[in-house]
PDB file of all heavy atoms in Angstrom:
ATOM      1  N   GLY A 283      -0.298  18.182   3.999  1.00 96.00           N
ATOM      2  CA  GLY A 283      -1.378  19.002   3.593  1.00 96.00           C
ATOM      3  C   GLY A 283      -1.116  20.495   3.763  1.00 96.00           C
ATOM      4  O   GLY A 283      -0.066  20.934   4.058  1.00 96.00           O
ATOM      5  N   GLU A 284      -2.226  21.178   3.619  1.00 97.00           N
ATOM      6  CA  GLU A 284      -2.089  22.701   3.593  1.00 97.00           C
ATOM      7  C   GLU A 284      -1.521  23.367   4.902  1.00 97.00           C
ATOM      8  O   GLU A 284      -0.803  24.197   4.830  1.00 97.00           O
ATOM      9  CB  GLU A 284      -3.519  23.288   3.278  1.00 97.00           C
ATOM     10  CG  GLU A 284      -3.494  24.733   3.041  1.00 97.00           C
ATOM     11  CD  GLU A 284      -4.907  25.193   2.836  1.00 97.00           C
ATOM     12  OE1 GLU A 284      -5.699  24.438   2.082  1.00 97.00           O
ATOM     13  OE2 GLU A 284      -5.327  26.310   3.301  1.00 97.00           O
ATOM     14  N   GLU A 285      -1.837  22.645   5.980  1.00 97.00           N
ATOM     15  CA  GLU A 285      -1.470  23.191   7.241  1.00 97.00           C
ATOM     16  C   GLU A 285      -0.300  22.349   7.875  1.00 97.00           C
ATOM     17  O   GLU A 285      -0.122  22.379   9.123  1.00 97.00           O
ATOM     18  CB  GLU A 285      -2.587  23.263   8.254  1.00 97.00           C
ATOM     19  CG  GLU A 285      -3.584  24.292   7.843  1.00 97.00           C
ATOM     20  CD  GLU A 285      -4.769  24.429   8.893  1.00 97.00           C
ATOM     21  OE1 GLU A 285      -5.057  23.431   9.540  1.00 97.00           O
ATOM     22  OE2 GLU A 285      -5.291  25.508   8.917  1.00 97.00           O
ATOM     23  N   ALA A 286       0.325  21.561   7.020  1.00 97.00           N
ATOM     24  CA  ALA A 286       1.360  20.636   7.480  1.00 97.00           C
ATOM     25  C   ALA A 286       2.463  21.375   8.219  1.00 97.00           C
ATOM     26  O   ALA A 286       2.963  20.831   9.350  1.00 97.00           O
ATOM     27  CB  ALA A 286       1.982  19.839   6.415  1.00 97.00           C
ATOM     28  N   GLY A 287       3.061  22.476   7.767  1.00 97.00           N
ATOM     29  CA  GLY A 287       4.053  23.228   8.442  1.00 97.00           C
ATOM     30  C   GLY A 287       3.621  23.557   9.819  1.00 97.00           C
ATOM     31  O   GLY A 287       4.476  23.487  10.748  1.00 97.00           O
ATOM     32  N   LEU A 288       2.415  24.037   9.959  1.00 97.00           N
ATOM     33  CA  LEU A 288       2.025  24.457  11.407  1.00 97.00           C
ATOM     34  C   LEU A 288       2.041  23.272  12.287  1.00 97.00           C
ATOM     35  O   LEU A 288       2.539  23.278  13.482  1.00 97.00           O
ATOM     36  CB  LEU A 288       0.639  25.104  11.220  1.00 97.00           C
ATOM     37  CG  LEU A 288      -0.101  25.309  12.639  1.00 97.00           C
ATOM     38  CD1 LEU A 288       0.698  26.477  13.327  1.00 97.00           C
ATOM     39  CD2 LEU A 288      -1.500  25.777  12.364  1.00 97.00           C
ATOM     40  N   TRP A 289       1.518  22.177  11.870  1.00 97.00           N
ATOM     41  CA  TRP A 289       1.302  21.046  12.795  1.00 97.00           C
ATOM     42  C   TRP A 289       2.733  20.345  13.048  1.00 97.00           C
ATOM     43  O   TRP A 289       3.010  19.874  14.065  1.00 97.00           O
ATOM     44  CB  TRP A 289       0.327  20.029  12.248  1.00 97.00           C
ATOM     45  CG  TRP A 289      -1.104  20.401  12.518  1.00 97.00           C
ATOM     46  CD1 TRP A 289      -1.780  21.251  11.736  1.00 97.00           C
ATOM     47  CD2 TRP A 289      -1.863  20.025  13.594  1.00 97.00           C
ATOM     48  NE1 TRP A 289      -2.944  21.548  12.276  1.00 97.00           N
ATOM     49  CE2 TRP A 289      -3.078  20.749  13.478  1.00 97.00           C
ATOM     50  CE3 TRP A 289      -1.760  19.129  14.583  1.00 97.00           C
ATOM     51  CZ2 TRP A 289      -4.150  20.650  14.314  1.00 97.00           C
ATOM     52  CZ3 TRP A 289      -2.818  19.015  15.436  1.00 97.00           C
ATOM     53  CH2 TRP A 289      -4.021  19.745  15.245  1.00 97.00           C
ATOM     54  N   GLN A 290       3.556  20.371  12.004  1.00 96.00           N
ATOM     55  CA  GLN A 290       4.972  19.940  12.276  1.00 96.00           C
ATOM     56  C   GLN A 290       5.690  20.802  13.181  1.00 96.00           C
ATOM     57  O   GLN A 290       6.469  20.369  13.967  1.00 96.00           O
ATOM     58  CB  GLN A 290       5.727  19.804  10.885  1.00 96.00           C
ATOM     59  CG  GLN A 290       5.165  18.670  10.099  1.00 96.00           C
ATOM     60  CD  GLN A 290       5.744  18.654   8.650  1.00 96.00           C
ATOM     61  OE1 GLN A 290       6.863  19.111   8.391  1.00 96.00           O
ATOM     62  NE2 GLN A 290       5.149  17.931   7.770  1.00 96.00           N
ATOM     63  N   ARG A 291       5.398  22.111  13.078  1.00 97.00           N
ATOM     64  CA  ARG A 291       6.086  23.023  14.053  1.00 97.00           C
ATOM     65  C   ARG A 291       5.625  22.776  15.423  1.00 97.00           C
ATOM     66  O   ARG A 291       6.356  22.758  16.380  1.00 97.00           O
ATOM     67  CB  ARG A 291       5.756  24.469  13.581  1.00 97.00           C
ATOM     68  CG  ARG A 291       6.665  25.510  14.471  1.00 97.00           C
ATOM     69  CD  ARG A 291       6.167  26.958  14.297  1.00 97.00           C
ATOM     70  NE  ARG A 291       4.973  27.120  15.044  1.00 97.00           N
ATOM     71  CZ  ARG A 291       4.036  27.995  14.806  1.00 97.00           C
ATOM     72  NH1 ARG A 291       3.902  28.601  13.597  1.00 97.00           N
ATOM     73  NH2 ARG A 291       2.867  28.011  15.573  1.00 97.00           N
TER      74      ARG A 291
END
Side-chain angles (χ1 to χ4, degrees):
E284 187 178 320
E285 294 179 334
L288 174 65
W289 284 80
Q290 290 175 19
R291 187 189 83 211

